[in-house]
Amino acid sequence: MTAAASHSIGPRRLLTLLGGRATFRLLLYGSAGVLVAAWSREDFNAYAAAVGAVGWLCMVVQSGPEKAALTLIPRARRTRDHITGMLRAVVARGPLPFTAAAVAGLVLAPHSTVTIYLLAVAYYVSLGCGMLGVALHRALGRYTRDTAHFSLLGLGMIGMAGLAFTSHLRPAGYLAGLLVLVTVLNLALLRGLPAGARDRPEARTAGPPRRTLRGIVAGTVMLMGAVDVMGNAMVGTLFVELSLTSHADQSGDFYMMILVWGFATSVIYTLQRIYQPRLALRTGSSGAGQVRELARRVALLSVWIGGAWLVVAGTALAGGLAGTRSLVALGALLASLLPVNALAGFAVFLLENTGKAGLRACAKAVVMSWAVVAVLGALVIPFAGAAGAVYALGAQGFVLGTMLGRRM
């Protein structure tokens, strides 16, 4: 079977992949509801504070390596096992020091706040490594592992939440159970993934030197991960700026909006990762120029629409929306922003798969967008509150489109 055929995404495969992810998301939200009913307010707040503080580690571990795997492995021939082996090592070894620290905490102080944080860190690092392991299987054309992994993960999470409800399992025990669940699933993912060149002796001398290849993989991971890491940092910066103003009591309103925003953007992210191997194969051949031209057009479109959104939304803020506590108004404002950011994100998705120049352009653009959003937030949030934070976020798509359009 050719690489293009193994990465063909028909309706059946697409629905199966989305079904596994949807099962995971629904059971994730369902388990949170069970925990609210199972625990005291004190226990739930301790759990929420820990997972809220360190949840970003999952994206740090997952994003760059996953995107690098889905771009490099489908294109590779002689170096495929080398690249897969390097990233497989992250799945196998990445969680080890964090898991060891969490186990030590459980033994020494099982219910302390520090232990809960150590368990949360180990869990999210392991969760991100598991998502990387799934991506490696997809990069090799094995899509069924994706659906099985996420379905089992969701079922395990709701099962652990049910156990917390029936047996009065406290946050440390619950997180320890999740850590065991993810570790077992990760070990299952390691089976079938080549450990490196030693799996195929004839590949040891094929392709570029191992040190050169390691540098290529590491550089791709860092540049591709910058977009998502800075995106999370952007939202975090707005939360900090909001908390330092007289509108700090609107942080909860903004948090509710960002939860819905995160769900919508996660759907877009998932679709992009599903189709990334196909795009990587196309840009690795004669289609790279066409992809760059499409990215340029999409970026310019996001500039025009984003500019219009900033004008209209700014007028609405000046007309009385500033400082509003209406979740409906905030939700409408944020929902109207989604098309702009989806267009800019699509331009990034296209360009970052066209080579080093595209990767560097995307990394520079996302850093600049973070800086502009941070400055705009510092200016607008003090008088507009949560609505101002949403407005500042609206600059992201505009700046990304402007920067990418200028560099193509």
Side-chain angles (χ1 to χ4, degrees):
M1 183 182 291
T2 64
S6 65
H7 291 292
S8 176
I9 306 294
R12 182 176 179 180
R13 175 173 282 182
L14 177 61
L15 290 175
T16 301
L17 289 169
L18 292 178
R21 302 294 183 107
T23 298
F24 167 67
R25 284 285 174 181
L26 289 174
L27 294 177
L28 172 64
Y29 295 142
S31 65
V34 174
L35 294 177
V36 170
W39 290 337
S40 66
R41 180 180 294 272
E42 181 182 2
D43 277 349
F44 186 80
N45 284 342
Y47 165 79
V51 297
V54 305
W56 57 274
L57 288 172
C58 179
M59 181 60 71
V60 171
V61 174
Q62 171 201 1
S63 177
E66 178 186 30
K67 293 164 78 173
L70 295 173
T71 296
L72 297 175
I73 294 175
R75 294 175 181 170
R77 294 295 180 267
R78 294 177 299 175
T79 58
R80 177 174 296 179
D81 284 356
H82 294 76
I83 297 172
T84 306
M86 291 176 190
L87 295 173
R88 180 188 185 276
V90 177
V91 180
R93 302 171 189 169
L96 293 180
F98 304 99
T99 300
V103 171
L106 272 176
V107 172
L108 298 175
H111 298 296
S112 70
T113 300
V114 172
T115 297
I116 293 175
Y117 272 82
L118 289 174
L119 285 164
V121 168
Y123 166 64
Y124 276 110
V125 170
S126 299
L127 185 65
C129 287
M131 292 179 179
L132 172 58
V134 167
L136 290 175
H137 281 282
R138 288 207 318 275
L140 295 170
R142 305 165 188 165
Y143 283 79
T144 56
R145 301 295 289 268
D146 186 289
T147 302
H149 179 84
F150 280 102
S151 297
L152 291 172
L153 183 59
L155 290 171
M157 293 183 71
I158 196 69
M160 284 300 305
L163 190 62
F165 185 83
T166 58
S167 63
H168 307 291
L169 193 65
R170 297 188 65 190
Y174 175 73
L175 284 169
L178 290 184
L179 180 57
V180 171
L181 169 68
V182 174
T183 300
V184 170
L185 291 176
N186 288 1
L187 290 174
L189 287 172
L190 292 176
R191 297 188 62 184
L193 292 177
R198 61 175 175 269
D199 285 1
R200 285 186 3 195
E202 70 274 13
R204 293 173 186 166
T205 57
R210 190 172 182 83
R211 181 176 299 178
T212 301
L213 188 61
R214 188 180 293 115
I216 293 172
V217 173
T220 304
V221 166
M222 291 182 64
L223 289 173
M224 283 194 147
V227 174
D228 299 301
V229 172
M230 292 304 298
N232 282 301
M234 205 174 298
V235 173
T237 300
L238 293 175
F239 268 109
V240 172
E241 291 176 338
L242 182 60
S243 69
L244 296 176
T245 69
S246 60
H247 300 285
D249 59 341
Q250 296 184 16
S251 295
D253 299 338
F254 188 46
Y255 176 73
M256 294 298 294
M257 295 300 102
I258 291 300
L259 278 181
V260 180
W261 174 266
F263 177 77
T265 55
S266 72
V267 173
I268 297 172
Y269 180 89
T270 298
L271 288 171
Q272 289 178 350
R273 298 293 78 76
I274 289 173
Y275 284 98
Q276 188 170 345
R278 292 281 295 177
L279 179 63
L281 289 171
R282 182 172 182 180
T283 55
S285 59
S286 57
Q290 295 176 344
V291 172
R292 280 191 290 269
E293 176 59 22
L294 177 60
R296 186 186 69 83
R297 293 180 180 179
V298 173
L300 293 178
L301 182 60
S302 72
V303 172
W304 285 104
I305 298 178
W309 185 92
L310 288 170
V311 171
V312 173
T315 303
L317 287 181
L321 189 60
T324 182
R325 296 299 301 266
S326 170
L327 293 181
V328 174
L330 289 174
L333 186 64
L334 195 57
S336 67
L337 176 59
L338 187 60
V340 181
N341 276 39
L343 283 171
F346 184 55
V348 170
F349 168 63
L350 293 172
L351 191 60
E352 68 182 1
N353 284 279
T354 59
K356 281 187 176 181
L359 279 172
R360 292 193 183 99
C362 290
K364 292 176 181 178
V366 75
V367 171
M368 178 59 72
S369 68
W370 168 79
V372 172
V373 167
V375 171
L376 186 59
L379 295 174
V380 177
I381 291 175
F383 83 88
V390 175
Y391 182 77
L393 188 62
Q396 179 185 10
F398 178 79
V399 175
L400 281 175
T402 301
M403 293 289 293
L404 295 179
R406 289 178 58 189
R407 292 181 178 275
M408 286 185 284

